[in-house]
Amino acid sequence: MTQELSKQSNRLQDGGRIDRSKPLTFTYNGKQYKGFEGDTLASALLANGVDIVGRSFKYSRPRGIVAAGAEEPNAIMQIGSTEATQIPNVRATQQSLYNGLVASTTNGWPNVDNDLMSWVGKVGGKMMPPGFYYKTFMYPKSMWETYESYIRKAAGLGRAPKENDPDIYDKMNQHCDVLIVGAGPAGLMAALTAARAGARVIIADEQNEFGGSLLSTTEALNGKPAAEWVAEVVEELSGFDDVLMLPNSQVNGYHDHNFLTIQQHCTDQFADRAPNGQIAQRLHRVRAKWVILATGAHERPLVYGNNDLPGCMVANAVSTYINRYGVAPGKDLVLMTSNDNAYRTALDWHDAGRNVVAIVDSRKNPQGTFVEAARERGISILVSSGVIEAHGSKRVTDVSIAPLNEVGDAIVGSVVKMAADTVATSGGWSPVIHLSCHTGARPVWNDDIVGFTPGVTVQKQLTAGAINGAFSTVQVLDEGLSAACDALAHLGLSKPDVVLPEADVIEEGKAMALFHIPHTKPTSKAPKQFVDYQNDVTAAGIELACREGFESIEHVKRYTAMGFGTDQGKLGNINGMAIAAKMLKQTIPETGTTIFRPNYTPVTFGAIAGRDCGELFDPKRYTAMHAWHVERGAKFEDVGQWKRAWYYPQGNETMQEALDRECLATRNSVGILDASTLGKIDIQGKDAREFLGRVYSNAWAKLAVGKCRYGLMCGEDGMVFDDGVTSCLAENHFLMTTTSGGAARVLSWLEIYHQTEWPELEVYFNSVTDHWSTMTISGPNSRKLLEKLTDYDVSKDNMAFMDWKPMTVAGVPARVFRISFTGELSFEINVQANYGLHVWKELFEKGAEFDLTPYGTETMHILRAEKGFIIAGQDTDGSVHPFDLGMSWAVSMQKPFSFIGKRGMQREDCVRENRKQLVGLKTLDPKAVLPEGAQGVLDPKAPIPMPMVGHVTSSYWSANLNRSVAMGFVKGGLDKMGEKVYYPLADGRVIEAEICSPVFLDPKGERQNV
Amino acid sequence: MSDVTVEAMEGKVVTNQLPTGAIVGESPLHHSDLASIAEKGPQQGGVHFHERKLKGLLTLRCTPSVEQLSLIESLLGVALPMQPLTSVTADAISVRWMSPDEWLIIVDGEQAFELETRFQEKFSGHYALVNISGGTTIFEVSGSHVVDMLKKSTPVDLHASEFPVGKVVSTVFAKSGATICRLADEKFELVVRRSFADYLWLWIQDASREYGLVVKA
């Protein structure tokens, strides 16, 4: 242990919440270090005396750890011991240390300690002044790509893994009465109160243990160390079934209707890769009846010259490292403050046995409990003074201190230089209002605390503690209690017995509003005074923006990049606004604030994707015969979410060879298609027939029981959106079929019209798509095959084309429809889906003698194209009505009641001359297959741009006809039969085609009518 | 036509859709061979899965009058649950409220046609009773971590105070949907569509992994 300690130069001999008996080894920038269980990566780095953790974005200046929580702007790491487990943009202050952790800085090129780019900073950063992006966008535009790659590299945004992440990320939906964000004193008090009242509580905190500020305070609660009270509360909370405690969990987004997202680090806090099957990170999707924001406050650093040198830190962070992690991050401290609170840091430093050089207080006459304590310890206090500049190259070595005037905006005496390696500063506390802003609430300035507090919200949201500007422990605990009581009252739960723990009473003197410490030189000439470390925004940059005419704080933000990106202005926003306000000669509330958006800290893509990846990315829908298709070596195609057999290659067949074989087999003998995916809707009721007449363009009044009819469905605009065959099962009972992809839409369409337009019609619609397995046997031998499997008389006389009959097929009751999408004699056999595969296999058993050939969707497309049958969605695109398709036979203008689309298809534009109309396209060269999508022209010699007359919608090689077949749109095409149309292709060829009927095969329909 | 019963009263067709004899139906998860997994797979785990297969499932649509309600009760043997999101579970029949004019009826596979016939014969007025047995299957999920698994899958609140035994909701389940009914504190029934069954089975396996999944025959 001693050995471990001796290597950690800044580690204290005792104290803190780390376990010195559990040393951990980690690697940072390729070098091994030791830390202890309970450390964060940041505390372990500081313990080891690592000063530089990155290089700044614009000026490439060396940067050190500034803070101890989510607000850390500099220590942004790339974590991961293998390529596959890389995580970018992790704040070292939020990453628990574990054995074997591998971290590297995300910026600093080629390395942080000796950066080739630092000359940029030294020559004054003129390469990227504020507004660099905008000025570059304006001119010279051609250079942007060059700049971008260079900025990317310099900006240190981390990188995504190049390999698949082996870890599991998932999501969980949560519901609760009260969601408490933050488990500091306010959050814990609220949780305890709500839990005792029997409420369903979720309490989340970004830290690895609950307690918040109480984990690093020296204050007592109930006369004992505050951490003991924390332990008692945590113990009690864990005993409630309805309390979910989420440490290592950031509430990252606060969305509408009290929906919040929490990113929980489940195992990546202690392992590079989740142990066997465990979840690495989980995104909780929480719906809370009430939300209590107990998010606390971030201490605000002061802005002074070279305030970004490693060794310059936020005061409270220094205390946290000492008290919680047993790390004193330096030897000689100068504390600069505008308030009493920060005196605690000097006390902690002193009590840790380190040297406090001086407390530099901007106020004239500081008084209060902590001030007295400092005086008692003999610490030197310089009043009415400020640190105007830090000196050093890779770490602070000295500071310049100067007397300030009463308001802190001018130097009123001579500058003294003191040696120090650490500068802690405090300009007061900024409430963490980020989540409250996510709801759209505008923050409200509060002069008393010199900060913004949450604005009026429309959400069921309460706030407690430092977020409201209540900073003393007594006040914070009390606010936690009352917020919980408010929530309980809203929930109708009664207040339980709770007693506030007794906290130390602390007298604090009035704080001073101070943001930007003046320098002996004007801001533009002074050493850089950083406002936003992460985005390298300086006081001079903000002043320049104001001088250039940016008056709105939103514009200043965008011009300078202040508060951009993953930082979200946690440390710098208010200082920046104060500087802008001063330049604009107005108050901070007049200047206003920018607001924050989700997410509070970066979220991994893994957590966002959850389990919706890989095999589970999107549902795959299967028919009852799917296993057979797989076994038969089918290639599949996606139709909606369905996996449909596309074609069934045999041996070394190419796709075209397989298609030719399938097409010929079907037309010459018999083929079979799994058509189970077709949408099927059972329609019942005495008004079913009337309803059909209104939603289809054709007539349904006279369709007899036992008969089937093809119908076109149009939108209000008269454009075709779906088609299919509907069969009359009984007088008041129909079965509608739809396209595979259109099933859900058609059912909704029917319901919308029934529920909103014609509720008086007595009709019910029910989806039976999945209930029936549908197999179509098609070809001249299809009847012979069917006869082998049924006793029913399926002769032409008993079962004519467009009849349906109930019969038993292969021992299974079936509905058989004599409808055809191939133009061949066809039977569509429907059986209850649990028997689909049985019947399918029986068909093959009996079909062997006819060489029954399975065919997929591609052969189906070819066979129907030979017959000129359209596919809704391929030969239609929402801009064509039935007349454009040459399907006037499927429109009945005589129906007593109107039908959907009737008015639309009679609009002036729909009846004009020269609309694009669907025609057949017969290539002059029978071997030439037009590419689908090719645009036709009437004059191939016309100058470019040639007037285009329409595109090819369907085009295939037809083995049956030994030539190509195609359909496409041609302006006025129905009147241009026999005329020529030309298709100039990208490769320079021009394919010539004759406009013809789309029916290439068996124009009289004799084959299907046998 | 002796082996297929067709009736056309009320202008509707009711057909026996099940074969007689030795032909065995194959449920949507038939290909997964759950019986073998049940035998050879893990016997301990936080989530138990069982496919209650080849049941008779029917959708009843109607807006019943008082007289029709009592008629329906006599036809079903149980009263129709009229309160939204409630259900009735008896030995031979379960009824799930689906929407203000829709119920899901679950009976043994062979009972579906009998029930359809009973309605066809006795019920008058506007209604629809549609057999969806082939298009659906039932997953029964249970165990000490069943709620955790479900919380990964559906946004509905499953806490006993909000989702007591007997409650039924039809809602989003992963990227598909399910009709979820709580059968006991740690036992739920999911009625899912045939074509999505494999996806949902994969999803449940995945979501159960950290708790251990036990397949029950």
Side-chain angles (χ1 to χ4, degrees):
Chain A
M1 191 182 97
T2 345
Q3 196 193 356
E4 305 299 349
L5 275 171
S6 65
K7 285 181 197 153
Q8 299 175 32
S9 55
N10 287 334
R11 184 75 71 180
L12 299 171
Q13 286 297 325
D14 45 39
R17 303 182 62 75
I18 45 155
D19 187 343
R20 287 177 178 74
S21 69
K22 289 181 181 154
L24 304 170
T25 306
F26 69 102
T27 306
Y28 165 71
N29 279 351
K31 215 174 137 187
Q32 283 212 335
Y33 295 91
K34 297 271 187 190
F36 294 119
E37 195 170 292
D39 263 327
T40 60
L41 176 56
S43 66
L45 287 170
L46 287 172
N48 283 282
V50 174
D51 293 333
I52 304 175
V53 294
R55 287 273 172 176
S56 79
F57 160 62
K58 213 152 81 176
Y59 307 116
S60 200
R61 291 165 69 104
R63 290 283 165 80
I65 293 166
V66 167
E71 71 273 32
E72 169 59 35
N74 294 333
I76 295 175
M77 300 290 167
Q78 182 85 22
I79 305 283
S81 68
T82 64
E83 182 53 42
T85 53
Q86 293 295 310
I87 307 176
N89 293 327
V90 177
R91 278 149 181 72
T93 49
Q94 294 189 295
Q95 173 66 54
S96 295
L97 196 69
Y98 57 80
N99 222 4
L101 181 141
V102 177
S104 56
T105 45
T106 51
N107 45 11
W109 165 56
N111 73 65
V112 283
D113 292 323
N114 185 10
D115 192 324
L116 287 180
M117 261 190 67
S118 56
W119 61 271
V120 178
K122 294 206 171 112
V123 297
K126 288 291 183 265
M127 186 170 271
M128 283 201 276
F132 169 79
Y133 289 103
Y134 301 92
K135 287 168 182 166
T136 310
F137 272 129
M138 285 186 274
Y139 68 94
K141 209 172 165 184
S142 59
M143 281 300 287
W144 176 245
E145 280 184 21
T146 318
Y147 287 137
E148 196 196 5
S149 64
Y150 156 80
I151 293 165
R152 283 271 161 216
K153 197 160 190 179
L157 297 170
R159 64 178 186 84
K162 295 191 187 88
E163 294 172 11
N164 280 349
D165 188 335
D167 275 336
I168 303 171
Y169 300 75
D170 77 0
K171 294 181 201 167
M172 204 173 246
N173 296 291
Q174 305 284 4
H175 300 259
C176 63
D177 293 327
V178 190
L179 168 64
I180 296 156
V181 185
L188 284 176
M189 199 61 226
L192 186 65
T193 310
R196 283 192 189 165
R200 293 169 64 190
V201 176
I202 297 175
I203 177 167
D205 194 281
E206 66 185 11
Q207 295 279 317
N208 65 331
E209 51 180 335
F210 282 3
S213 62
L214 298 179
L215 299 174
S216 51
T217 188
T218 47
E219 286 179 52
L221 283 178
N222 290 335
K224 293 182 287 189
E228 284 185 28
W229 180 80
V230 172
E232 285 164 23
V233 174
V234 168
E235 168 81 24
E236 182 175 342
L237 288 176
S238 61
F240 291 98
D241 283 347
D242 283 337
V243 174
L244 176 63
M245 294 194 286
L246 297 173
N248 291 317
S249 301
Q250 283 142 289
V251 181
N252 263 319
Y254 191 155
H255 312 277
D256 283 351
H257 309 296
N258 268 10
F259 175 65
L260 295 94
T261 42
I262 307 179
Q263 183 190 13
Q264 181 189 11
H265 297 275
C266 306
T267 64
D268 61 336
Q269 283 298 299
F270 59 80
D272 186 60
R273 191 173 164 175
N276 187 32
Q278 289 184 41
I279 310 298
Q281 290 182 13
R282 174 166 286 159
L283 191 77
H284 294 271
R285 299 154 42 89
V286 184
R287 287 161 178 90
K289 288 185 182 149
W290 281 89
V291 170
I292 297 176
L293 297 180
T295 48
H298 290 146
E299 197 167 23
R300 204 157 54 228
L302 289 162
V303 179
Y304 55 98
N306 292 330
N307 58 343
D308 65 329
L309 267 176
C312 295
M313 296 176 76
V314 174
N316 182 256
V318 173
S319 286
T320 299
Y321 286 115
I322 294 171
N323 295 331
R324 181 164 172 193
Y325 300 106
V327 175
K331 302 272 182 289
D332 305 300
L333 172 79
V334 166
L335 170 76
M336 166 161 62
T337 179
S338 64
N339 57 73
D340 279 15
N341 202 275
Y343 274 67
R344 290 188 298 183
T345 300
L347 304 179
D348 293 335
W349 191 272
H350 177 91
D351 296 348
R354 304 290 161 116
N355 173 36
V356 179
V357 177
I359 295 173
V360 181
D361 194 322
S362 62
R363 299 169 299 173
K364 200 166 153 189
N365 186 22
Q367 280 173 328
T369 312
F370 296 133
V371 181
E372 293 318 314
R375 290 201 173 111
E376 276 165 27
R377 283 169 175 78
I379 297 171
S380 148
I381 301 174
L382 306 173
V383 296
S384 298
S385 297
V387 172
I388 63 164
E389 184 180 344
H391 306 277
S393 61
K394 289 177 182 172
R395 169 99 196 197
V396 178
T397 53
D398 305 274
V399 294
S400 289
I401 298 168
L404 303 178
N405 66 358
E406 200 145 327
V407 289
D409 66 355
I411 292 169
V412 292
S414 53
V415 178
V416 293
K417 210 167 173 183
M418 290 184 179
D421 64 358
T422 307
V423 186
T425 65
S426 172
W429 292 83
S430 302
V432 180
I433 54 173
H434 296 69
L435 290 172
S436 116
C437 284
H438 294 179
T439 69
R442 302 293 303 190
V444 179
W445 180 257
N446 180 333
D447 262 330
D448 294 340
I449 61 150
V450 196
F452 283 99
T453 51
V456 176
T457 182
V458 294
Q459 302 285 345
K460 290 180 174 175
Q461 172 213 291
L462 300 160
T463 51
I467 187 176
N468 292 337
F471 297 133
S472 77
T473 307
V474 177
Q475 241 182 322
V476 166
L477 289 164
D478 188 50
E479 290 215 351
L481 173 63
S482 40
C485 290
D486 286 353
L488 293 173
H490 287 299
L491 292 161
L493 294 168
S494 41
K495 187 193 161 185
D497 270 348
V498 231
V499 182
L500 285 174
E502 266 178 57
D504 298 347
V505 176
I506 289 152
E507 300 285 333
E508 281 196 45
K510 191 164 166 47
M512 174 175 166
L514 186 68
F515 310 94
H516 179 198
I517 312 298
H519 195 270
T520 50
K521 294 175 187 168
T523 305
S524 59
K525 299 257 170 26
K528 286 192 167 45
Q529 301 159 331
F530 285 91
V531 174
D532 178 336
Y533 295 93
Q534 197 175 109
N535 295 296
D536 257 359
V537 179
T538 62
I542 293 169
E543 291 187 0
L544 175 65
C546 294
R547 276 201 302 278
E548 289 195 4
F550 293 90
E551 292 181 355
S552 157
I553 194 66
E554 294 284 359
H555 291 157
V556 171
K557 168 182 172 173
R558 278 154 187 80
Y559 193 63
T560 60
M562 179 177 76
F564 264 31
T566 66
D567 186 63
Q568 289 289 292
K570 291 182 184 81
L571 286 183
N573 247 25
I574 289 181
N575 285 335
M577 284 164 221
I579 291 164
K582 193 173 159 197
M583 271 307 279
L584 298 167
K585 299 192 168 51
Q586 57 194 21
T587 63
I588 293 177
E590 279 165 355
T591 309
T593 176
T594 58
I595 58 166
F596 311 99
R597 67 174 75 152
N599 286 310
Y600 177 61
T601 50
V603 182
T604 56
F605 280 112
I608 293 167
R611 297 307 296 148
D612 298 318
C613 57
E615 272 299 296
L616 296 169
F617 174 66
D618 201 37
K620 292 176 183 144
R621 300 178 68 182
Y622 300 120
T623 74
M625 287 81 91
H626 188 80
W628 190 94
H629 304 318
V630 173
E631 208 171 291
R632 191 65 173 240
K635 302 283 181 203
F636 292 92
E637 103 170 306
D638 293 334
V639 180
Q641 289 170 323
W642 288 102
K643 289 282 168 193
R644 294 198 71 177
W646 189 20
Y647 62 99
Y648 301 80
Q650 291 181 354
N652 293 324
E653 270 181 348
T654 62
M655 180 174 176
Q656 190 59 52
E657 285 163 356
L659 298 176
D660 290 351
R661 175 180 50 73
E662 292 173 14
C663 284
L664 289 166
T666 304
R667 294 240 185 262
N668 295 333
S669 181
V670 56
I672 183 167
L673 174 78
D674 181 355
S676 306
T677 63
L678 282 182
K680 305 171 206 76
I681 301 169
D682 179 280
I683 304 176
Q684 300 187 27
K686 73 172 174 52
D687 297 320
R689 187 182 293 275
E690 171 61 25
F691 197 94
L692 289 173
R694 298 184 186 186
V695 295
Y696 274 131
S697 62
N698 48 339
W700 294 84
K702 295 199 177 98
L703 183 70
V705 175
K707 289 286 180 188
C708 315
R709 180 168 291 170
Y710 174 81
L712 283 180
M713 214 174 269
C714 301
E716 291 92 344
D717 55 5
M719 303 304 159
V720 174
F721 81 87
D722 209 87
D723 67 344
V725 170
T726 293
S727 308
C728 185
L729 302 179
E731 185 52 30
N732 298 328
H733 195 176
F734 294 81
L735 181 73
M736 175 185 281
T737 61
T738 74
T739 58
S740 297
R745 182 184 168 188
V746 171
L747 183 61
S748 301
W749 181 252
L750 302 180
E751 284 290 352
I752 287 166
Y753 264 89
H754 184 218
Q755 292 178 27
T756 66
E757 299 297 323
W758 311 311
E760 70 282 4
L761 295 188
E762 289 196 343
V763 59
Y764 282 122
F765 313 97
N766 287 288
S767 172
V768 288
T769 301
D770 287 22
H771 177 68
W772 298 101
S773 279
T774 305
M775 46 211 100
T776 305
I777 51 172
S778 195
N781 286 325
S782 57
R783 180 179 284 134
K784 286 182 204 156
L785 171 58
L786 184 57
E787 281 169 342
K788 289 190 174 290
L789 289 151
T790 185
D791 298 334
Y792 194 77
D793 176 6
V794 293
S795 68
K796 186 186 178 183
D797 294 339
N798 192 53
M799 190 176 184
F801 182 51
M802 299 306 272
D803 278 358
W804 81 270
K805 300 287 180 189
M807 65 186 77
T808 300
V809 178
V812 180
R815 290 174 179 170
V816 181
F817 300 79
R818 239 200 95 182
I819 55 179
S820 176
F821 198 39
T822 60
E824 293 297 325
L825 172 67
S826 298
F827 298 88
E828 194 189 278
I829 304 161
N830 285 262
V831 295
Q832 207 257 35
N834 291 335
Y835 302 91
L837 185 57
H838 164 80
V839 175
W840 180 269
K841 284 178 175 167
E842 287 295 303
L843 282 162
F844 275 91
E845 186 82 9
K846 297 288 188 293
E849 65 176 284
F850 307 109
D851 184 29
L852 176 64
T853 301
Y855 66 89
T857 50
E858 194 63 20
T859 289
M860 175 189 82
H861 282 201
I862 299 170
L863 296 175
R864 64 89 204 182
E866 290 170 351
K867 284 291 296 174
F869 295 148
I870 63 156
I871 288 184
Q874 177 167 348
D875 302 298
T876 70
D877 61 2
S879 75
V880 294
H881 55 55
F883 299 96
D884 294 333
L885 295 167
M887 294 170 79
S888 53
W889 52 266
V891 183
S892 168
M893 291 295 184
Q894 312 307 322
K895 290 190 270 191
F897 195 92
S898 188
F899 62 88
I900 302 170
K902 183 178 182 181
R903 173 76 190 86
M905 64 182 74
Q906 294 179 97
R907 283 174 301 146
E908 195 179 342
D909 183 61
C910 289
V911 296
R912 66 174 165 78
E913 297 284 293
N914 222 28
R915 276 182 68 83
K916 287 180 180 174
Q917 294 167 324
L918 190 71
V919 292
L921 298 167
K922 193 171 181 180
T923 54
L924 204 68
D925 172 6
K927 304 279 176 208
V929 181
L930 287 164
E932 287 174 355
Q935 283 286 349
V937 298
L938 296 178
D939 175 9
K941 300 214 161 43
I944 291 170
M946 298 182 195
M948 293 179 284
V949 294
H951 70 283
V952 177
T953 59
S954 291
S955 177
Y956 309 92
W957 173 254
S958 163
N960 288 303
L961 297 165
N962 198 32
R963 60 156 300 122
S964 68
V965 295
M967 282 191 278
F969 285 101
V970 175
K971 283 183 180 171
L974 294 172
D975 295 326
K976 287 192 168 69
M977 290 295 153
E979 292 180 28
K980 291 286 184 332
V981 60
Y982 302 87
Y983 295 89
L985 304 181
D987 62 8
R989 280 184 303 149
V990 176
I991 299 181
E992 184 180 349
E994 183 188 307
I995 299 170
C996 62
S997 156
V999 186
F1000 286 84
L1001 186 132
D1002 184 26
K1004 290 186 183 152
E1006 286 160 345
R1007 299 176 71 97
Q1008 65 194 11
N1009 244 325
V1010 292
Chain B
M1 284 295 305
S2 56
D3 49 354
V4 177
T5 310
V6 181
E7 316 204 4
M9 292 163 68
E10 289 287 329
K12 295 174 186 177
V13 179
V14 166
T15 318
N16 185 8
Q17 296 163 2
L18 300 184
T20 49
I23 304 169
V24 180
E26 293 179 349
S27 79
L29 291 190
H30 177 80
H31 62 281
S32 299
D33 192 9
L34 297 178
S36 298
I37 304 175
E39 198 182 319
K40 296 169 196 156
Q43 304 297 318
Q44 300 282 322
V47 180
H48 292 202
F49 179 91
H50 166 63
E51 187 191 17
R52 231 161 75 206
K53 57 190 181 187
L54 306 178
K55 290 286 166 188
L57 293 101
L58 302 119
T59 297
L60 173 66
R61 305 286 304 271
C62 69
T63 308
S65 63
V66 177
E67 295 76 40
Q68 284 173 326
L69 262 184
S70 60
L71 178 61
I72 292 171
E73 184 170 354
S74 71
L75 294 174
L76 296 179
V78 294
L80 212 52
M82 295 302 286
Q83 280 299 312
L85 310 181
T86 61
S87 66
V88 173
T89 305
D91 285 346
I93 189 165
S94 301
V95 185
R96 314 283 178 234
W97 183 96
M98 299 290 279
S99 80
D101 66 352
E102 183 177 350
W103 290 264
L104 174 69
I105 299 168
I106 306 171
V107 292
D108 273 347
E110 315 79 59
Q111 300 297 312
F113 176 56
E114 197 180 305
L115 194 63
E116 287 180 280
T117 309
R118 240 184 282 159
F119 267 76
Q120 181 85 330
E121 287 169 1
K122 302 273 170 60
F123 202 89
S124 60
H126 179 40
Y127 82 103
L129 185 65
V130 182
N131 192 331
I132 55 164
S133 311
T136 35
T137 191
I138 302 171
F139 296 166
E140 218 168 68
V141 287
S142 55
S144 55
H145 280 289
V146 68
V147 171
D148 293 322
M149 183 276 284
L150 292 174
K151 280 163 80 172
K152 296 184 185 184
S153 315
T154 178
V156 75
D157 189 355
L158 296 153
H159 191 267
S161 63
E162 295 285 334
F163 206 115
V165 172
K167 180 166 175 171
V168 57
V169 297
S170 295
T171 188
V172 172
F173 196 98
K175 285 189 178 178
S176 180
T179 297
I180 306 171
C181 182
R182 189 176 214 139
L183 302 178
D185 275 357
E186 292 181 343
K187 188 174 184 184
F188 292 82
E189 169 195 274
L190 312 176
V191 178
V192 304
R193 279 178 77 160
R194 160 179 275 281
S195 55
F196 287 101
D198 186 76
Y199 163 76
L200 291 168
W201 161 231
L202 276 183
W203 177 274
I204 289 169
Q205 287 176 65
D206 185 82
S208 304
R209 177 158 49 182
E210 64 180 306
Y211 313 117
L213 179 68
V214 182
V215 173
K216 295 283 189 188

